[in-house]
């Protein structure tokens, strides 16, 4: 697996998003999830992404159990800021310094580690100056509990303010062939200017770009995508056309649509001056992990990239990314 640079971190060209192993994407299989994580490490997919809110709390425990005995192989990323109760209730976005410190200690305990390699502010708390939140993060770095820090779904000015307090190692935002907003809203350009890495979550469009979802009935009854505007009604049908255009190109290259989508994201490291653009596709099954990892070997020509730009231009997807967009890009 090739490597990329996220700030001061050297990471594989692709990571593994662990969220769906515990929540949001239907029923999980914990034994299979552990096998998936361990197989990821075998394949060199050593950047593991979790968060305290996933489960809630159970995903960190799962990841901690899966990496026990292999901690030195892992670049471990987790997040704070979306505060939830043990019963799953959402208590709001919290960026208060005292909460940051408590959340970090709790994550370290659940993960069974002494230090987190990359600790993200999951969402920006507009009631707390970002400088205050990042002052607490700087203290965690100084205390040796956190090696580097990042921020998720933040606007360019917020990224700059945070970076002035403590260097931002990575910005994590949704980015794929059907979510190209970071190219348009200045986030990728800000990362390139400041030397910040970029981590793309949902790089296969929440699975939609795989071409395997042809109807909302293909989703489990409790799958959160059923409530996602892009998966509903006429938006769903129009987005299918985008997927079919991408799949045609994938078929010509002899790769899956998912692999093509991932290869496109990885290719963005070489465009626009960004030091590292790293996708973290989520999966809870070994066979999909292996398919995704093979995307690192897919080479895209300038003509391939041009055709994909035409097939899925900025703004091509229909519908918002979330039912409620108020918590993102602050």
């Amino acid at each position: 697996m090739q490597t990329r640079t996220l700030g001061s971190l050297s990471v594989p060209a692709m990571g593994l998003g662990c969220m769906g192993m515990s929540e949001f994407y239907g029923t999980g299989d914990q034994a299979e999830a552990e096998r998936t994580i361990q197989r990821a490490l075998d394949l060199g997919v050593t950047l593991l992404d979790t968060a305290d809110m996933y489960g809630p709390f159970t995903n960190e425990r799962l990841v901690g159990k899966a990496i026990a005995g292999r901690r030195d192989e892992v670049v471990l990323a987790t997040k704070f800021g979306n505060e939830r109760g043990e019963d799953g209730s959402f208590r709001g976005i919290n960026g208060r310094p005292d909460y940051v410190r408590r959340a970090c200690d709790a994550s370290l305990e659940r993960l069974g580690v002494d230090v987190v390699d990359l600790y993200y502010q999951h969402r920006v708390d507009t009631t707390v100056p970002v400088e205050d939140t990042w002052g607490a993060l700087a203290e965690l770095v100084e205390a040796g509990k956190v090696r580097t820090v990042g921020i998720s779904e933040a606007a360019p000015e917020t990224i700059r303010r945070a970076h002035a307090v403590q260097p931002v190692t990575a910005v994590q935002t949704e980015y794929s062939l059907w979510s190209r907003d970071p190219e348009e809203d200045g986030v990728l350009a800000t990362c390139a200017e400041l030397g910040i890495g970029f981590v793309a979550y949902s790089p296969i469009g929440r699975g939609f770009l795989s071409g395997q979802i042809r109807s909302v009935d293909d989703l489990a009854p409790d799958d959160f995508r059923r409530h996602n505007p892009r998966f509903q009604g006429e938006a769903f049908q129009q987005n299918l056309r985008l997927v079919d255009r991408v799949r045609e190109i994938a078929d010509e290259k002899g790769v899956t649509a998912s692999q093509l989508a991932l290869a496109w994201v990885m290719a963005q490291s070489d465009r626009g001056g960004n030091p590292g653009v790293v996708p973290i596709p989520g999966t809870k099954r070994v066979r999909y992990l292996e398919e995704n990892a093979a995307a690192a070997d897919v080479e895209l020509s300038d003509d391939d990239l041009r055709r994909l730009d035409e097939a899925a231009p900025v703004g091509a997807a229909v519908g918002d990314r979330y039912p409620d967009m108020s918590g993102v890009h602050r």
Side-chain angles (χ1 to χ4, degrees):
M1 182 71 66
Q2 295 180 351
T3 59
R4 296 284 187 268
T5 300
L6 301 179
S8 60
L9 288 178
S10 177
V11 301
M14 181 189 307
L16 173 62
C18 299
M19 179 186 77
M21 297 174 179
S22 299
E23 195 178 17
F24 302 112
Y25 289 97
T27 304
D29 178 334
Q30 296 307 286
E32 176 71 2
E34 287 182 43
R35 285 192 294 270
T36 301
I37 292 171
Q38 289 158 3
R39 180 60 176 150
L41 302 187
D42 295 340
L43 293 171
V45 182
T46 54
L47 173 62
L48 303 182
D49 186 273
T50 182
D52 56 2
M53 75 162 286
Y54 302 157
F57 314 123
T58 55
N59 197 245
E60 286 183 326
R61 296 187 186 106
L62 165 67
V63 171
K65 183 180 178 184
I67 67 172
R70 303 184 69 174
R71 174 65 181 98
D72 292 345
E73 300 175 49
V74 177
V75 180
L76 184 59
T78 191
K79 315 178 195 72
F80 73 92
N82 281 318
E83 188 177 6
R84 295 179 72 183
E86 287 282 356
D87 62 354
S89 60
F90 184 61
R91 297 177 177 174
I93 297 171
N94 194 339
R96 295 190 299 273
D98 61 327
Y99 176 73
V100 177
R101 292 185 282 266
R102 291 199 316 273
C104 180
D105 287 342
S107 286
L108 291 172
E109 182 177 356
R110 284 188 292 267
L111 289 161
V113 299
D114 298 322
V115 60
V116 169
D117 299 303
L118 177 55
Y119 196 41
Y120 289 101
Q121 181 174 8
H122 204 164
R123 292 292 185 269
V124 177
D125 185 348
T126 57
T127 69
V128 178
V130 72
E131 290 82 0
D132 292 355
T133 304
W134 278 66
L137 287 171
E139 292 173 9
L140 293 175
V141 173
E142 181 67 24
K145 295 181 178 182
V146 170
R147 289 198 173 99
T148 65
V149 287
I151 195 166
S152 180
E153 291 287 1
E157 182 57 29
T158 304
I159 296 168
R160 292 180 187 280
R161 289 169 58 192
H163 192 66
V165 177
Q166 173 68 29
V168 179
T169 286
V171 171
Q172 183 176 142
T173 295
E174 183 173 355
Y175 186 46
S176 71
L177 278 166
W178 83 335
S179 291
R180 297 183 62 172
D181 311 28
E183 298 174 38
E184 201 172 29
D185 58 25
V187 169
L188 274 172
T190 301
C191 289
E193 177 191 339
L194 299 177
I196 297 170
F198 184 92
V199 174
Y201 75 82
S202 297
I204 310 175
R206 306 189 188 281
F208 201 75
L209 290 169
S210 71
Q212 301 302 306
I213 303 170
R214 308 302 296 181
S215 163
V216 72
D217 293 328
D218 292 332
L219 305 175
D222 59 346
D223 192 309
F224 97 104
R225 287 172 292 185
R226 285 179 171 269
H227 306 288
N228 186 301
R230 291 189 177 179
F231 286 80
Q232 296 178 347
E234 180 58 28
F236 187 101
Q237 297 306 315
Q238 291 192 47
N239 289 329
L240 274 180
R241 298 187 191 108
L242 182 156
V243 170
D244 290 340
R245 291 195 298 270
V246 171
R247 190 168 60 179
E248 285 178 14
I249 300 172
D251 288 344
E252 291 177 23
K253 290 190 67 68
V255 300
T256 68
S258 294
Q259 289 170 334
L260 184 64
L262 290 170
W264 179 85
V265 174
M266 286 185 279
Q268 305 314 304
S269 285
D270 304 319
R271 305 169 95 189
N274 283 284
V277 178
V278 178
I280 50 168
T283 185
K284 49 191 176 183
R285 296 184 179 88
V286 171
R287 66 188 179 101
Y288 291 129
L289 167 78
E290 292 175 340
E291 176 186 332
N292 291 345
D297 297 323
V298 176
E299 295 184 4
L300 299 182
S301 66
D302 289 342
D303 186 57
D304 291 331
L305 293 169
R306 177 190 59 77
R307 292 181 66 197
L308 285 167
D309 283 341
E310 292 173 354
V314 174
V318 179
D320 284 338
R321 296 191 287 124
Y322 289 97
D324 178 7
M325 291 288 288
S326 63
V328 302
H329 206 62
R330 296 181 172 196

